[in-house]
Amino acid sequence: MSSTFTLIAVIAFVGFFGRLVFVAFAPGIAKANPFRNFSAAGFILLAAVLFGGGLYVSGKAVKAEVLLKRHLVDPVLVSWLGRDSCDPGDGSYCVVVFEKGQEKIVNWYDKRVYMWEIVNPAEGAVWHTLRPRPRPGGAAEA
C-alpha cells in the first residue's frame, strides 16, 4: 500500500468512528468543552497561540520569524516606506543594496540579496584564510 492511500484510509476510519462517538455522547461532550463560551476573536486567538506554540516546540520559530520579515515586513519598510530594514550598529548582518539610484541597508535575508553572489563574486572570492592549491593539471595552471 502506498503512504497516500494509508493516510486516506486512517483519516476515513478515525472520522467514521469519531462521528459515531460524537453522536452518541454529544450532550456530555458539549458540557465538558472548555471553549464553549469563546467568541470568534477568542477562537482566532486560540488558533494563533496553538500555531505559535507548535512552531516554538518544533524549533521552527526563528525560521518562521525570518520568513515573516522577508515576505511581509521588509518589503513594506524598504519598498513602500523607503526606510532601511537593518541597522549595522546593533550587530546584525546587513547588506547594502543599490536600487533606483538609492542606497538601502537591508537584512541578509531580504529578497533583493543573493547570498551566493556576495560570498562568491564573479571576480573571485576574497577569503581571510589561505585558499587551497589548485589541482595538478587543472584549468588554473594553464
Side-chain angles (χ1 to χ4, degrees):
M1 281 198 291
S2 70
S3 61
T4 305
F5 177 74
T6 305
L7 181 65
I8 292 171
V10 167
I11 290 172
F13 182 79
V14 170
F16 177 76
F17 286 105
R19 186 176 134 211
L20 294 176
V21 169
F22 184 75
V23 168
F25 299 106
I29 293 173
K31 291 177 187 172
N33 183 4
F35 308 117
R36 65 182 172 272
N37 294 326
F38 271 30
S39 64
F43 277 117
I44 291 171
L45 185 62
L46 175 67
V49 168
L50 289 174
F51 184 75
L55 286 174
Y56 180 76
V57 169
S58 68
K60 303 282 185 182
V62 174
K63 182 177 181 178
E65 180 184 355
V66 166
L67 288 174
L68 180 75
K69 286 182 181 178
R70 176 182 180 162
H71 293 288
L72 295 176
V73 177
D74 283 354
V76 171
L77 282 177
V78 177
S79 299
W80 291 356
L81 300 178
R83 294 176 30 200
D84 295 336
S85 65
C86 186
D87 182 18
D90 65 2
S92 56
Y93 188 78
C94 301
V95 179
V96 178
V97 175
F98 298 96
E99 190 174 75
K100 297 180 185 172
Q102 294 180 330
E103 177 182 299
K104 298 177 182 179
I105 301 175
V106 297
N107 289 304
W108 63 268
Y109 50 79
D110 193 274
K111 289 181 180 183
R112 296 166 186 81
V113 177
Y114 184 48
M115 289 302 292
W116 179 259
E117 284 184 5
I118 292 174
V119 177
N120 301 300
E123 61 273 358
V126 179
W127 305 101
H128 297 294
T129 59
L130 292 174
R131 299 193 67 183
R133 293 183 186 156
R135 293 184 178 177
E141 290 185 8

